[in-house]
Amino acid sequence: MSMFLARRLVTRCFSSRPLHVCIVGSGPAGFYTADKLLKAHEGARIDIIDRLPTPYGLVRSGVAPDHPETKIAINQFSRVAQHERCAFYGNVKLGSDLSLSELRDLYHVHGLFRLYLHMVLKLTKILAFQSLGGVFSAREFVWWYNGHPDYSSLKPDLKSSDKAVILGQGNVALDVARILLRPTTELASTDIATHALSALEESSIRKVYLVGRRGPVQAALTAKELREILGIKNLHIRIKETDLSVTPADEEEMKNSRARKRIYELLSKAAAAAGTFEGDCGQRELHFVFFRQPERFLESDESKGRVSGVNLEKTILESVGSGKQIAVGTGEFEDINCSMVLKAIGYQSVPINGLPFDHKKGIVPNVRGRVVSTEPGLYVCGWLKRGPVGIIATNLYCAEETVGSISQDIEEGGVGKSEKEGSKGLMQLLEKKEVKMVDFSGWEKIDAKEKQMGIDRNKPREKLVTWEDLLAAASADS
Amino acid sequence: MLFHRLSRLGSRIVKELPRERHFSVSGMRVLQGSYSQYLQSSAVTQRQSRTFQQAFFSSNYNLCTLFSTISETEKINVIFVDKDGEEIHIKVPVGMNILEAAHENDIELEGACECSLACSTCHVIVMDTEYYNKLEEPTDEENDMLDLAFGLTETSRLGCQVIAKPELDGIRLAIPSATRNFAVDGFVPKPH
């Protein structure tokens, strides 16, 4: 999600005037947009700002520690950040350090790539019980084990029982299930935060339930991740045979999507292989629970204020046309006991002051990336533009579209004619406000320190997990 | 005398401590060393050269091979057709993968995960079924990534998994147009 405030390039022949661009958010959407903008416009000068002192957004804080190959995209991003016409400024927050109007005064093009901040809770009843201890959004849990400085002190309780329930069956749900169930010896050599590794080493969680309101054909996960979790050593998979029966509507869905078909086949094979083997008590189990939607959380009698289970309603599927099926409650209920619930059912972007926002879709209203507003020069890319869906690569195409719109606006003369200060103005403003920004070389110091600390522990890096440590490392003398 | 004994004990303890630490650290290294070093060395190699990469999560271990020293290998003709329909003719040494070849010739084909079978950005469409059939069957891992590719067709492959061989001489590969085929989760781009 990027907003670009683009000042208009006079014309390509008169490219003496630089195009000052500010991108808010340094995740994949931000970097892909910067990359394409640098290539498309020789006069483009881009400043990427981010609230955190570290760049790369969810690639650093969302991708699971045991998925290092997914983080390779960072190599391309750092090349962009090191480009002579591009600069990264961390620890600069839109809203508190800078306002949208101040950015508008300084830049021609303004792009915003902001992240989600809340889990979408589609069932309003659950909202009432949100404050039960042991109930977290998957995002909080992921940020906790990935060492995000805002969540390093989450301290989830992994010792009260052997059961955890995860609401949702997408890749995020699989990620958290995998981190809970993978042998910790395998996690010890990843870049997982040490506080999380220690907690997981003492964890008593052995049974994880992935709860989805629809069936195996509709599950939101993807084949690669499913294959991976099914292949974990000594992990027993539990799927009810009855859940695997398909209806003609399901067949239709599978015909239209080879991905769906592949996932269904993987789940069927896993169910068949598991058979009726009961196994011993201490073993690790992953249960796929289909056709159940959460009704409410159950509070523990012994420890008030803590969750002790989830009450689920059985569902059936109903066609709503165009091949889509939705879950409908049947009025039958059952409980699963647990001491931790992780909600992995989607994200919602948070509105930004000064920008229009569509609360229903969770996006900034836009047309091909151009923000619908009276002010020109504002653009979005990424989740703020499309909603919180897609993979890292999705932003590649999203960026292409947004940069296409920017280029078009520049050609047609609709964007910016006046003098803008760009970076120089930003530096002056930040200095005046005494904002301690972290530039790319500051990030490189953090990076080097983390890698150095990682060597001692046989990990690719040992993340710095507090704001103080991050800012101290960034400003240390090399 | 007691003091003397105590101080000897003390110095013994002090001498033992570093040795123990060393042993446990090196012990750990023995256990986890191979996996982690493998990852780390690969990471170092990545930084050094994008042309050499090992997809360690692929059972086929497809290599992005280093070709700077090979000058006399047989080359095949490959034609890229970009989003605007323009044809780019290049020569590719046998054994090189298509993504590598595209980058060597400044063709705009993304390779976000640098040949690790962790993305689908090097997606190409083989324009003639005859050539498509000459390729090796995609592995499960490649299929998993292809499933997520934009503008997927019956003859789609990941460029990093297509290795040049003599039978592929003259192969035509289309680079999918992202904006034309932009269909993520049912999103349909608004018409102009």
Side-chain angles (χ1 to χ4, degrees):
Chain A
M1 306 162 264
S2 260
M3 290 195 317
F4 293 99
L5 291 174
R7 272 218 173 185
R8 178 179 160 198
L9 248 185
V10 181
T11 63
R12 290 220 186 88
C13 319
F14 299 89
S15 57
S16 48
R17 264 218 216 137
L19 179 74
H20 291 290
V21 181
C22 178
I23 296 180
V24 180
S26 64
F31 272 108
Y32 280 132
T33 310
D35 193 20
K36 292 185 186 300
L37 212 49
L38 283 170
K39 288 189 180 130
H41 298 274
E42 276 178 24
R45 274 167 177 58
I46 304 177
D47 287 340
I48 304 178
I49 66 175
D50 198 294
R51 178 176 75 92
L52 291 179
T54 56
Y56 312 134
L58 280 176
V59 182
R60 175 176 160 95
S61 66
V63 175
D66 52 352
H67 284 173
E69 74 282 9
T70 309
K71 302 190 200 191
I72 289 175
I74 284 180
N75 295 346
Q76 188 182 353
F77 299 161
S78 43
R79 282 195 290 275
V80 174
Q82 290 167 315
H83 193 287
E84 54 179 3
R85 288 186 281 124
C86 185
F88 166 76
Y89 299 116
N91 199 29
V92 177
K93 186 171 176 181
L94 181 69
S96 50
D97 296 328
L98 283 175
S99 71
L100 198 56
S101 55
E102 278 168 334
L103 278 179
R104 236 190 291 241
D105 289 337
L106 292 171
Y107 292 94
H108 296 109
V109 175
H110 194 186
L112 189 61
F113 296 96
R114 267 269 292 271
L115 285 186
Y116 56 85
L117 276 184
H118 297 311
M119 296 308 295
V120 162
L121 292 169
K122 295 179 180 131
L123 303 165
T124 50
K125 285 182 204 167
I126 292 191
L127 280 166
F129 289 86
Q130 219 172 258
S131 56
L132 272 185
V135 176
F136 303 105
S137 71
R139 173 187 59 85
E140 294 173 311
F141 193 71
V142 169
W143 277 3
W144 169 73
Y145 63 63
N146 273 336
H148 190 292
D150 289 344
Y151 286 90
S152 36
S153 46
L154 189 72
K155 293 195 181 53
D157 175 11
L158 304 174
K159 298 199 265 202
S160 289
S161 86
D162 63 343
K163 293 199 186 78
V165 167
I166 300 175
L167 300 176
Q169 292 172 335
N171 286 342
V172 176
L174 281 188
D175 271 356
V176 295
R178 205 176 61 245
I179 297 298
L180 282 171
L181 291 170
R182 208 187 249 281
T184 47
T185 44
E186 290 177 23
L187 292 176
S189 54
T190 67
D191 64 5
I192 192 170
T194 295
H195 55 249
L197 185 62
S198 312
L200 288 165
E201 280 166 348
E202 297 174 13
S203 160
S204 58
I205 306 269
R206 294 289 175 274
K207 295 179 174 41
V208 172
Y209 296 80
L210 286 171
V211 177
R213 58 189 176 171
R214 296 190 292 173
V217 177
Q218 292 80 29
L221 41 76
T222 52
K224 176 178 167 158
E225 284 71 21
L226 181 59
R227 232 184 271 278
E228 181 188 12
I229 207 168
L230 296 178
I232 292 183
K233 248 184 3 211
N234 298 328
L235 179 63
H236 298 264
I237 311 293
R238 294 270 178 273
I239 302 175
K240 278 213 305 259
E241 286 281 351
T242 45
D243 284 343
L244 288 167
S245 51
V246 287
T247 62
D250 288 335
E251 295 277 4
E252 191 63 35
E253 270 190 67
M254 284 198 283
K255 218 170 55 148
N256 291 332
S257 161
R258 61 184 233 177
R260 300 265 126 255
K261 186 153 181 287
R262 211 186 302 281
I263 288 163
Y264 175 77
E265 284 167 1
L266 278 171
L267 289 169
S268 305
K269 256 197 309 201
T276 50
F277 175 65
E278 273 309 311
D280 57 76
C281 302
Q283 73 182 8
R284 291 164 192 249
E285 295 175 1
L286 179 65
H287 296 245
F288 282 87
V289 179
F290 295 107
F291 304 107
R292 297 287 183 277
Q293 62 190 11
E295 171 69 16
R296 61 189 176 91
F297 298 137
L298 307 170
E299 190 178 343
S300 163
D301 292 326
E302 299 96 43
S303 349
K304 285 287 171 206
R306 296 203 58 84
V307 73
S308 67
V310 188
N311 180 243
L312 302 167
E313 184 181 16
K314 296 186 187 175
T315 65
I316 49 167
L317 296 184
E318 248 179 39
S319 282
V320 288
S322 64
K324 204 164 177 242
Q325 302 184 77
I326 59 165
V328 172
T330 58
E332 277 180 67
F333 296 87
E334 67 183 28
D335 293 342
I336 299 183
N337 294 327
C338 63
S339 56
M340 181 160 79
V341 178
L342 294 173
K343 298 171 286 185
I345 51 177
Y347 297 103
Q348 186 169 55
S349 297
V350 170
I352 298 126
N353 226 350
L355 269 191
F357 194 77
D358 179 337
H359 287 271
K360 192 152 165 266
K361 291 191 201 149
I363 60 168
V364 169
N366 69 92
V367 175
R368 299 184 74 92
R370 291 182 188 89
V371 174
V372 174
S373 107
T374 48
E375 299 274 344
L378 242 65
Y379 302 86
V380 271
C381 184
W383 283 6
L384 204 53
K385 168 183 170 193
R386 300 177 281 108
V389 284
I391 54 176
I392 293 175
T394 313
N395 292 294
L396 201 57
Y397 304 103
C398 191
E400 210 174 283
E401 188 185 57
T402 298
V403 172
S405 297
I406 296 172
S407 300
Q408 196 178 10
D409 289 351
I410 291 172
E411 286 272 319
E412 292 173 2
V415 183
K417 289 177 173 74
S418 40
E419 279 290 335
K420 295 283 188 185
E421 288 191 48
S423 308
K424 213 173 56 166
L426 179 70
M427 291 299 104
Q428 285 171 356
L429 191 63
L430 292 179
E431 220 180 281
K432 205 170 71 178
K433 297 192 182 195
E434 293 182 5
V435 174
K436 240 179 93 169
M437 62 89 184
V438 173
D439 63 10
F440 199 71
S441 63
W443 152 247
E444 283 174 324
K445 290 186 190 147
I446 296 173
D447 191 28
K449 176 137 196 227
E450 288 185 345
K451 285 185 178 141
Q452 181 59 44
M453 285 163 52
I455 291 174
D456 299 334
R457 286 161 217 229
N458 229 13
K459 300 162 83 169
R461 66 172 67 239
E462 177 61 47
K463 284 186 184 167
L464 296 170
V465 300
T466 64
W467 283 91
E468 298 78 34
D469 286 344
L470 285 164
L471 292 174
S475 52
D477 296 321
S478 29
Chain B
M1 194 159 85
L2 183 61
F3 178 77
H4 178 65
R5 279 228 184 105
L6 279 176
S7 66
R8 273 175 63 196
L9 183 62
S11 64
R12 257 278 257 337
I13 291 170
V14 168
K15 267 193 241 156
E16 289 297 321
L17 278 175
R19 221 193 296 166
E20 261 178 38
R21 235 188 328 205
H22 175 72
F23 177 76
S24 62
V25 165
S26 59
M28 230 169 49
R29 287 222 167 110
V30 164
L31 282 174
Q32 297 159 4
S34 51
Y35 175 65
S36 170
Q37 269 170 23
Y38 187 44
L39 268 183
Q40 280 190 333
S41 63
S42 304
V44 168
T45 321
Q46 265 159 209
R47 268 179 261 122
Q48 284 173 350
S49 161
R50 278 171 70 232
T51 59
F52 181 75
Q53 182 68 259
Q54 187 156 5
F56 35 82
F57 288 91
S58 155
S59 54
N60 282 352
Y61 283 91
N62 291 302
L63 292 163
C64 291
T65 340
L66 186 63
F67 272 89
S68 51
T69 54
I70 300 169
S71 50
E72 280 138 37
T73 333
E74 189 185 340
K75 295 193 178 175
I76 62 164
N77 292 299
V78 173
I79 300 125
F80 276 97
V81 181
D82 74 10
K83 314 168 220 231
D84 304 311
E86 277 192 47
E87 292 193 357
I88 307 140
H89 293 246
I90 63 170
K91 290 213 184 295
V92 182
V94 165
M96 185 183 272
N97 76 71
I98 287 304
L99 176 62
E100 177 67 39
H103 286 168
E104 298 247 314
N105 289 275
D106 287 325
I107 292 169
E108 268 201 57
L109 190 62
E110 293 281 348
C113 77
E114 297 176 10
C115 306
S116 313
L117 277 178
C119 78
S120 55
T121 56
C122 66
H123 169 216
V124 290
I125 300 165
V126 183
M127 297 179 75
D128 310 296
T129 327
E130 202 189 299
Y131 279 108
Y132 178 76
N133 293 332
K134 291 189 184 159
L135 296 172
E136 313 244 330
E137 279 283 310
T139 58
D140 281 341
E141 286 78 14
E142 183 183 344
N143 272 326
D144 286 347
M145 290 298 107
L146 269 175
D147 283 347
L148 307 175
F150 303 98
L152 188 66
T153 66
E154 292 289 326
T155 55
S156 284
R157 290 297 301 265
L158 292 185
C160 66
Q161 304 300 303
V162 176
I163 315 292
K165 53 185 183 183
E167 302 95 306
L168 298 178
D169 187 33
I171 189 170
R172 282 155 35 94
L173 301 169
I175 299 172
S177 159
T179 42
R180 188 163 31 96
N181 296 307
F182 190 12
V184 180
D185 299 321
F187 169 81
V188 176
K190 298 180 182 61
H192 294 337

